[in-house]
């Protein structure tokens, strides 16, 4: 039996012109929002006494001294400072959540793919339902990422969580999530994504029933928008389509627990009240959501297949220019018009490691079945891959009139670092043991006598 969904009352912020939906548009803006009139101190961060008897607290997402372009912090005006939500912590079982470095198994070199992991029967909260598939880099040195599938059949009730190891990118595949955060409420459904920065407290609820999706834990540089270069000022992901919630707070006294992920471990403390008690905040370090259907793809309009970087939604930079800690890349509806062009992805080997998931539809490099919504694949550093036989044969012989890819949404988490598969993923019944050999089906067409 699934635990019933018990929504908890939140006090929504003022619904002004800019935030009729409960969100404020823009990427990386310096936002200001208050759920009670006058709760936000004006012109200063730390007045002697804050309005309404609130405490002021700064949450730093970058070193204080980071250059302006990457400097991130917010000021939170809250009922209690976080340190007052702080009891004795005990370490709790992290379940199937793994953190880099985690070299658990050595799978033979191969392209790897999995069927969707089914939702469990019993009650499973977001924290209990995380299944790590791959890890890369080292969370302790703030590089790399973890890729996970989340399976949620019950809402968190009086349970809270924050992640000190990384920011979290949610990619729902089935069912909606309500992420109640310190900064306000974020609702997302398949086709949308949300990013919860490192250190932001949340409670994850499932307003519409069980939910499944992908989660990227980014241990490195915060996700930002990629440069557009000669593309110019528009298209791809546009700043105005990113939405940050207006302030919403809970003044709730109830026995509660808070779990903190820190150094790869989960620690729990008991609280007597909700830590989602931020009445007003301002700053540029805040959670946000984005509707992937607003992404405006740019691509080749005469011939050839461009590198997938053209479809980058967001990037987590490393210290090396152009060498991402993570690129989050979207393959969504678009027209294919290339003349005399093999239109699907080409065969390739890549120094970056490619984790892929499918939200809906068919991915154009894998038309032979096997890569289905909810499934995922890993094409690791310098391992060859490309279209399956069905995709190759169809694309080599297709009439090249303009063709629209529709009802499709695949994504890639591409990292400069090799990815390690977890024991869970290697031993999962959903692991497709026969996928490794898909390349052997590609027939020899060579004929030296025929050009
Ligand atoms: O491997 C994949 O399917 C992802 C991918 C897509 C593409 O269009 C070009 C390169 C690439 O790695
Ligand atoms: Fe690839």
């Amino acid at each position: 039996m699934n635990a019933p969904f018990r929504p908890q009352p939140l006090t929504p912020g003022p619904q002004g012109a800019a935030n009729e939906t409960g969100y404020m548009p823009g990427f990386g803006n310096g936002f200001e929002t208050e759920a009670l009139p006058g709760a936000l101190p004006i012109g200063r961060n730390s007045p002697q006494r804050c309005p309404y008897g609130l405490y002021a607290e700064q949450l730093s997402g970058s070193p204080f001294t980071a250059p302006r372009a990457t400097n991130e912090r917010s000021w939170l005006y809250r009922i209690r400072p976080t340190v007052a939500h702080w009891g004795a912590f005990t370490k709790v079982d992290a379940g199937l959540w793994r953190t880099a470095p985690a070299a658990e198994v050595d799978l033979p070199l191969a392209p790897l793919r999995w069927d969707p992991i089914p939702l469990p029967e019993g009650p499973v909260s977001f924290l209990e339902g995380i299944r790590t598939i791959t890890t890369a880099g080292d969370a302790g040195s703030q590089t790399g990422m973890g890729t996970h599938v989340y399976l949620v059949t019950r809402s968190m009730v009086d349970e809270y969580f924050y992640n000190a190891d990384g920011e979290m990118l949610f990619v729902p595949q089935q069912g909606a999530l309500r992420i109640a955060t310190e900064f306000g409420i974020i609702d997302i459904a398949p086709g949308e994504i949300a990013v919860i920065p490192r250190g932001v407290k949340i409670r994850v609820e499932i307003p519409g029933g069980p939910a499944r999706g992908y989660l990227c834990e980014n241990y490195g540089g915060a996700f930002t928008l990629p440069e557009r270069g000669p593309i110019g000022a528009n298209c791809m992901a546009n700043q105005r389509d990113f939405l940050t919630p207006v302030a919403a707070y809970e003044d709730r006294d109830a026995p509660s627990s808070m779990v903190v992920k820190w150094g790869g471990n989960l620690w729990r403390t008991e609280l007597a009240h909700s830590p989602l008690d931020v009445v007003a905040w301002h700053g540029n370090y805040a959670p946000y959501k984005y509707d992937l259907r607003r992404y405006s793809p740019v691509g080749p309009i005469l011939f050839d297949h461009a590198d997938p970087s053209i479809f980058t939604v967001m990037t987590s930079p490393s210290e090396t220019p152009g060498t991402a800690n993570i690129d989050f890349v979207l393959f969504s509806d678009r027209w294919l018009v290339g003349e005399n062009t093999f239109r699907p992805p080409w065969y390739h080997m890549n120094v970056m490691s490619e984790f892929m998931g499918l939200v809906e539809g068919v991915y154009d490099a894998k038309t032979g079945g096997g890569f289905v919504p909810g499934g995922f694949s890993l094409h690791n550093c310098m391992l060859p891959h490309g279209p399956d036989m069905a995709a190759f044969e169809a694309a080599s012989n297709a009439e090249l009139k303009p063709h629209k890819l529709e009802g499709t949404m695949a994504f890639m988490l591409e990292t400069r670092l090799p990815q390690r598969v977890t024991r869970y993923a290697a031993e999962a019944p959903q692991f497709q043991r026969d996928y490794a050999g898909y390349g052997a089906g590609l027939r020899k067409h060579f004929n030296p006598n025929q050009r």
Side-chain angles (χ1 to χ4, degrees), residues 14-281:
Q15 307 286 288
N19 55 28
E20 226 129 61
T21 57
Y23 298 101
M24 304 174 285
F27 188 89
N29 290 11
F31 293 106
E32 294 193 344
T33 171
E34 57 189 20
L36 287 178
L40 203 58
I42 294 174
R44 65 188 62 221
N45 295 324
S46 301
Q48 184 179 26
R49 279 193 301 278
C50 294
Y52 298 106
L54 297 168
Y55 285 87
E57 180 173 294
Q58 181 174 206
L59 177 60
S60 294
S62 68
F64 299 133
T65 48
R68 269 180 192 272
T70 52
N71 202 305
E72 292 186 303
R73 62 90 185 87
S74 283
W75 279 91
L76 285 62
Y77 299 92
R78 56 194 319 151
I79 298 172
R80 295 179 181 83
T82 298
V83 71
H85 296 296
W86 208 253
F89 277 84
T90 44
K91 204 160 140 184
V92 292
D93 184 7
L96 294 166
W97 200 335
R98 294 290 176 276
T99 302
E104 295 186 318
V105 287
D106 279 317
L107 282 178
L109 298 182
L112 307 176
R113 194 166 66 190
W114 289 260
D115 289 326
I117 314 278
L119 279 153
E121 290 288 319
V124 173
S125 73
F126 168 70
L127 285 182
E128 296 155 346
I130 288 180
R131 316 272 180 260
T132 303
I133 309 302
T134 70
T135 59
D138 178 357
S141 40
Q142 301 192 339
T143 61
M145 67 171 186
T147 67
H148 320 275
V149 168
Y150 66 77
L151 307 165
V152 189
T153 61
R154 76 161 178 95
S155 294
M156 291 164 75
V157 177
D158 294 325
E159 298 164 281
Y160 305 91
F161 172 67
Y162 79 83
N163 194 335
D165 288 343
E167 74 178 341
M168 295 185 291
L169 165 65
F170 288 77
V171 186
Q173 189 273 320
Q174 181 189 325
L177 292 184
R178 164 162 286 199
I179 311 176
T181 84
E182 288 177 294
F183 290 73
I185 304 163
I186 290 189
D187 282 313
I188 47 168
E192 298 179 300
I193 56 168
V195 173
I196 308 295
R198 201 188 288 263
V200 172
K201 299 174 197 86
I202 60 171
R203 184 182 61 234
V204 180
E205 300 170 353
I206 45 167
R212 176 176 67 194
Y214 308 90
L215 178 73
C216 170
E217 199 181 1
N218 171 17
Y219 314 133
F223 277 116
T224 187
L225 300 182
E227 296 300 340
R228 287 199 190 88
I231 291 170
N234 302 288
C235 294
M236 304 175 70
N238 290 299
Q239 287 92 320
R240 65 190 289 244
D241 296 320
F242 288 80
L243 300 174
T244 286
V246 296
Y249 70 95
E250 297 176 343
D251 183 6
R252 180 174 166 78
D253 293 328
S256 309
S257 65
M258 183 170 68
V259 171
V260 178
K261 181 169 186 278
W262 200 102
N265 292 315
L266 297 188
W267 295 85
R268 185 171 63 213
T269 189
E270 306 308 318
L271 306 177
H273 28 251
S274 169
L276 307 185
D277 64 353
V278 177
V279 178
W281 63 267

Side-chain angles (χ1 to χ4, degrees), residues 320-356:
T320 309
T323 308
N325 180 58
I326 312 169
D327 279 329
F328 175 62
V329 179
L330 178 70
F331 306 96
S332 54
D333 291 9
R334 62 199 183 276
W335 283 92
L336 301 180
V337 298
E339 297 174 352
N340 186 16
T341 291
F342 181 79
R343 290 175 174 176
W346 9 251
Y347 294 99
H348 59 291
M349 294 174 41
N350 186 354
V351 66
M352 305 272 283
S353 306
E354 308 177 14
F355 176 96
M356 289 195 67

Side-chain angles (χ1 to χ4, degrees), residues 305-311 329 331 334 343-346 348 350 354 356 363-366 371 377 379 385-387 411-412 414 438:
H305 178 100
D307 297 331
S309 43
I310 197 81
F311 299 138
V329 179
F331 306 96
R334 62 199 183 276
R343 290 175 174 176
W346 9 251
H348 59 291
N350 186 354
E354 308 177 14
M356 289 195 67
Y363 178 59
D364 62 337
K366 308 287 169 184
F371 186 40
S377 66
H379 301 118
H385 59 285
F411 70 88
M412 173 160 67
E414 192 182 15
Y438 83 90

